[in-house]
Amino acid sequence: MGSTLFEKIWNQHRVYQSDDGQSLLYVDLHLVHEVTSPQAFEGLRMAGRSMRRLDLTFATMDHNIPTDNPFVVHDPIAKRQIDALTDNCREFRVPLADLSSAEQGIVHVIGPELGLTLPGKTIVCGDSHTATHGAFGALAFGVGTSEVEHVLATQCLWQSKPKTLQVQLNGKLAPGVAAKDVILGLIAAHGIRFGTGYVIEYTGSAIPFLSMEERMTICNMSIEAGARAGLIAPDGITFAYLKGRAHAPKGVEWEKCLDDWKKLKTDVDASYDKTVVMDVSLLSPQLTWGTNPGMGGSVEGVVPHPSEYADEAQRFAVSEALQYMGLTPGTKFTDISVQHVFIGSCTNGRIEDLRVAATVVKNRKVAPGVRALVVPGSKGVKRQAEAEGLDEVFLQAGFEWREPGCSMCLGMNPDIVPPGQRCAATSNRNFEGRQGRGARTHLLSPAMAAAAAIAGHFVDIRQWELEQTGGVAHGTIGPA
Amino acid sequence: MEPLVRHKGKVACLNRVNVDTDQIIPKQFLKRIEKSGYDPFLFYDWRYLENGEINEQFELNQGEVQGASILVAGDNFGCGSSREHAVWALRDYGFRILLAPSFADIFYNNCFKNGVLPIRLNSDSWSKLAPYFKGEERWMTVDLERQEVEICEGMVLSFEIDPHRKQMLVEGLDDIGLTMRYQQYIEIYEKEQMAPYQRVYD
Ligand code: SF4
């Protein structure tokens, strides 16, 4: 019997298999950021240990840096974490994209952008959205601080083998429907736990139509379905994206790697532990109304009533969520007004996301009373967007154009939503308090978020006439 | 980590039950970025008065227990939140051995990751012990190899510990230390098994 893509990567990276079923896995790329690394470096220092592979480690700062002026950090705790990363990287000689670096950005945006993320690699980071890198056919997952230390010291991790889940995405997305709608629709349909204990592989006839950016959006939110990792087999689109990137192999090496990468797909006679199928051509734009990513639905719908749910616990959870969100059952989604709009994050802060959003806001104005923010995912994305004049489009419409970082995705920096206010966000989590205490978050695609900023309430983007600003075609290559 | 085979040290006694991790280290000290230097915060609200002065009443502030490395504590020690900081604070303060009738689960596990030995004593021996350590400077010897605590001459108690954890302490291994034993496999892997794309390119 053949192997799945996941099994191929897993087997290739197994350094040792112990009797109790644990595998010692080799880590090809360890991404480090300021929040989850200080105690790990300190642990090394205390034990007098050195780092095993400096060349397989790369650090950046993203989570708590201010996006107005990154160099002025008012929060003393954030400042200490940023300074600690700088000092640790200097002491241990870890390559660091710091605030003055042209490569700095959200860890999951810069990995692919710099060509550090490559097919077939194992990639870890002290951050749960590491699954993003799976879009390249890499096995990528988040780890805790003690595991960060373990990888720094040994370049390995003990893991027990997860099960495999195939998510088959068939059909072609309708105009106005985005990759974000695929993953939100999937989680709304199957719940936030259907991937628990599994590594997802996204397959199906929809994949060849998806750009790398779109694939990253989908893999990014695998964790919201409970899976630690999500994978897509690399293909021509993957290779075209990677070719020529700063850290990607070149020349003969590139050809050698390409030969390997082409074998990275699930064999026809391999089997998955579980399969879920979705016809993406039937999808409408999605948005969440509740306090977890599974509490969402199609934009043409209404806020549900708790009594629609069969199960008592669910009824309770829904009524709690609606209370927190300040929503009345039966309200049309398109009648809900927003005060904040956030376009950014490792889910939707890439160049294509900004292009699509710019198409929506071009020659339009942000509604009065709405504060709208565009936070590019990296310096590279920002440069590219500015080269295309997207910053001007946003600024003229009344958006704020910020410096790269995680920003309002988790509100660890000063970008937060005040209590009771509503935010249309392109990020990945709508938990209570995620964007600030009492903040009400609705997750949606960049086009839908941009439209909400203009209208002042949610709208069905399919009903808007859009001017093309160019370069929005599927499969576009991002910044080099 | 420093191996722990046989340890002779001064004893301090905290005769209280259900000491939770919030008491061991209050939450305002969790935002630090370090993994060491937690000793000033250990039992912060007990050690210091509200005005910041030393609380003369507190057990660990008594003259005869200064420099203690062994703590005798009450039932269910280390309950509450999972913060590893609690163990870091005890370790940084100088404690290597903890004796109590019982410990909270996560706390118990966290001890071994940081080279601290928690010894479970049955409540009978504990009630005999506690008064003994009051008011006078006392020492005891812990022999991990033989799984024995020598309280004073002629008074020896034995204790249970699972072999895997015992080995970790005796050899001074933490999780990373254990993995280091597989170093030869890692080296072979790096030399022979890595595919081209696993390398780094500049
Ligand atoms: S953008 Fe949000 S989800 Fe992504 S790494 Fe930053 S905080 Fe985490």
Coordinates of all heavy atoms in Angstrom, one line a residue, chain A residues 33 62-63 106-109 125 127-130 132 220 224 342 344-347 405-412 427-429 434, ligand 1:
Chain A
H33 N 9.9 33.8 17.5 CA 9.5 35.2 17.7 C 9.6 35.6 19.1 O 9.9 34.7 20.0 CB 8.1 35.4 17.1 CG 7.0 34.6 17.8 ND1 6.4 35.1 18.9 CD2 6.5 33.4 17.6 CE1 5.5 34.2 19.3 NE2 5.5 33.2 18.5
D62 N 7.1 40.2 15.8 CA 5.8 40.5 15.1 C 4.7 40.7 16.1 O 3.8 41.6 15.9 CB 5.5 39.4 14.1 CG 5.6 38.0 14.8 OD1 5.8 37.9 16.0 OD2 5.4 37.0 14.0
H63 N 4.6 39.9 17.2 CA 3.4 39.8 18.0 C 3.0 41.1 18.7 O 1.9 41.5 18.7 CB 3.5 38.7 19.0 CG 3.1 37.3 18.4 ND1 3.9 36.7 17.4 CD2 2.1 36.5 18.6 CE1 3.3 35.6 17.1 NE2 2.2 35.4 17.8
I106 N 5.3 39.2 10.0 CA 4.7 38.1 10.7 C 5.4 36.9 10.3 O 5.6 36.6 9.1 CB 3.2 38.0 10.4 CG1 2.4 39.3 10.7 CG2 2.6 36.9 11.2 CD1 1.0 39.3 10.3
V107 N 5.7 36.1 11.3 CA 6.6 34.9 11.1 C 6.0 34.0 10.0 O 6.8 33.5 9.2 CB 6.7 34.2 12.5 CG1 5.4 33.7 13.0 CG2 7.8 33.1 12.4
H108 N 4.7 33.8 9.9 CA 4.2 32.9 8.9 C 4.0 33.6 7.5 O 3.7 32.9 6.6 CB 2.8 32.4 9.4 CG 2.9 31.8 10.8 ND1 3.8 30.9 11.2 CD2 2.2 32.1 11.9 CE1 3.7 30.7 12.4 NE2 2.7 31.4 12.9
V109 N 4.3 34.9 7.5 CA 4.3 35.5 6.2 C 5.7 35.5 5.6 O 5.9 35.3 4.4 CB 3.7 37.0 6.3 CG1 3.8 37.7 4.9 CG2 2.3 37.0 6.8
C125 N 7.3 26.3 15.1 CA 7.4 27.6 15.7 C 6.6 27.7 16.9 O 5.6 26.9 17.0 CB 6.9 28.6 14.6 SG 6.7 30.3 15.2
D127 N 4.1 28.9 17.9 CA 2.9 29.7 17.5 C 1.9 28.7 16.8 O 2.4 27.9 15.9 CB 3.2 30.8 16.6 CG 2.0 31.7 16.3 OD1 1.2 31.3 15.4 OD2 1.9 32.7 16.9
S128 N 0.7 28.7 17.2 CA -0.2 27.7 16.7 C -0.6 27.8 15.2 O -1.0 26.9 14.6 CB -1.5 27.7 17.5 OG -2.2 28.9 17.4
H129 N -0.3 29.0 14.6 CA -0.7 29.1 13.2 C 0.5 28.7 12.2 O 0.4 29.1 11.0 CB -1.2 30.5 12.9 CG -2.6 30.7 13.5 ND1 -2.8 31.3 14.7 CD2 -3.8 30.3 13.0 CE1 -4.1 31.2 15.0 NE2 -4.7 30.6 14.0
T130 N 1.4 28.0 12.8 CA 2.5 27.5 12.0 C 2.0 26.6 10.8 O 2.7 26.4 9.8 CB 3.5 26.7 12.9 OG1 3.8 27.6 14.0 CG2 4.8 26.3 12.2
T132 N 0.2 27.3 8.6 CA 0.3 28.1 7.3 C 1.2 27.5 6.3 O 0.9 27.4 5.1 CB 0.7 29.5 7.6 OG1 0.0 30.0 8.8 CG2 0.5 30.4 6.5
N220 N -3.6 27.8 7.1 CA -3.4 28.7 8.3 C -4.5 28.3 9.4 O -4.2 28.2 10.6 CB -3.5 30.1 7.9 CG -3.6 31.1 9.1 OD1 -4.6 31.3 9.7 ND2 -2.4 31.7 9.5
E224 N -7.9 26.0 13.6 CA -9.2 26.4 14.1 C -10.2 25.2 13.9 O -11.3 25.2 14.4 CB -9.7 27.6 13.3 CG -9.4 28.9 14.0 CD -7.9 29.2 14.1 OE1 -7.3 29.1 13.0 OE2 -7.4 29.5 15.2
F342 N -10.4 45.4 10.3 CA -9.0 45.1 10.4 C -8.7 44.2 9.2 O -9.2 43.1 9.1 CB -8.7 44.4 11.7 CG -7.3 43.7 11.7 CD1 -6.2 44.5 11.5 CD2 -7.2 42.4 12.0 CE1 -4.9 43.9 11.6 CE2 -6.0 41.8 12.0 CZ -4.8 42.5 11.8
G344 N -5.5 42.3 7.7 CA -4.2 41.9 8.0 C -4.1 40.5 8.6 O -5.0 39.7 8.4
S345 N -3.0 40.2 9.3 CA -2.7 38.9 10.0 C -2.1 37.9 9.1 O -2.0 38.1 7.9 CB -4.0 38.3 10.6 OG -4.7 37.5 9.7
C346 N -1.6 36.8 9.7 CA -1.0 35.7 8.9 C -2.0 35.0 8.1 O -1.7 34.1 7.3 CB -0.2 34.8 9.9 SG -1.2 34.0 11.1
T347 N -3.3 35.2 8.4 CA -4.3 34.5 7.6 C -4.6 35.3 6.3 O -4.7 34.7 5.2 CB -5.7 34.5 8.4 OG1 -5.4 34.0 9.7 CG2 -6.7 33.5 7.7
G405 N 3.0 43.7 11.2 CA 2.9 43.0 12.5 C 1.6 42.3 12.7 O 0.8 42.3 11.9
C406 N 1.5 41.6 13.9 CA 0.3 40.9 14.2 C -0.9 41.8 14.5 O -2.1 41.5 14.2 CB 0.5 39.9 15.3 SG 1.7 38.6 15.0
S407 N -0.6 42.9 15.1 CA -1.5 44.0 15.3 C -2.8 43.5 16.0 O -2.8 42.8 17.0 CB -1.8 44.7 14.0 OG -2.7 45.7 14.0
M408 N -4.0 43.9 15.4 CA -5.3 43.7 15.9 C -5.7 42.2 15.9 O -6.8 41.9 16.3 CB -6.3 44.5 15.2 CG -7.3 45.2 16.1 SD -8.4 46.2 15.0 CE -8.1 47.8 15.6
C409 N -4.9 41.3 15.3 CA -5.2 39.9 15.4 C -5.3 39.4 16.8 O -6.2 38.7 17.1 CB -4.2 39.1 14.6 SG -4.5 37.3 14.7
L410 N -4.4 39.9 17.7 CA -4.5 39.4 19.1 C -4.4 40.6 20.0 O -4.4 40.4 21.2 CB -3.5 38.3 19.3 CG -2.1 38.7 19.7 CD1 -1.3 37.5 20.3 CD2 -1.3 39.4 18.7
G411 N -4.2 41.8 19.5 CA -4.2 42.9 20.5 C -3.1 42.9 21.5 O -3.4 43.3 22.7
M412 N -2.0 42.3 21.2 CA -0.9 42.4 22.2 C -0.1 43.7 22.1 O 0.6 44.1 22.9 CB 0.1 41.3 21.9 CG 0.0 40.1 23.0 SD 1.2 38.9 22.7 CE 2.4 39.3 24.1
S427 N -8.6 38.2 10.3 CA -7.8 37.3 11.1 C -8.5 36.0 11.3 O -9.4 35.6 10.6 CB -7.3 38.0 12.4 OG -8.4 38.6 13.0
N428 N -8.0 35.2 12.3 CA -8.4 33.8 12.4 C -9.2 33.5 13.7 O -9.6 32.3 13.8 CB -7.2 33.0 12.3 CG -6.1 33.5 13.1 OD1 -6.2 33.8 14.3 ND2 -4.9 33.7 12.5
R429 N -9.2 34.3 14.7 CA -9.9 34.0 15.9 C -10.8 35.0 16.4 O -10.5 36.2 16.4 CB -8.8 33.7 17.0 CG -8.2 32.3 16.8 CD -7.2 31.9 17.9 NE -6.7 30.6 17.6 CZ -5.5 30.1 17.9 NH1 -4.7 30.9 18.6 NH2 -5.2 28.9 17.6
R434 N -10.4 38.5 22.4 CA -9.2 38.3 21.6 C -8.6 39.6 21.0 O -7.4 39.9 21.1 CB -9.5 37.4 20.4 CG -8.5 37.3 19.3 CD -7.4 36.3 19.6 NE -6.5 36.1 18.5 CZ -5.4 35.4 18.5 NH1 -5.1 34.7 19.5 NH2 -4.6 35.3 17.4
Ligands
SF4_1 S1 -1.1 37.3 13.0 FE1 -2.3 36.5 14.7 S2 -2.5 34.4 14.4 FE2 -0.9 35.1 13.1 S3 1.0 34.8 14.2 FE3 0.3 36.9 14.6 S4 -1.0 36.7 16.4 FE4 -0.7 34.6 15.7

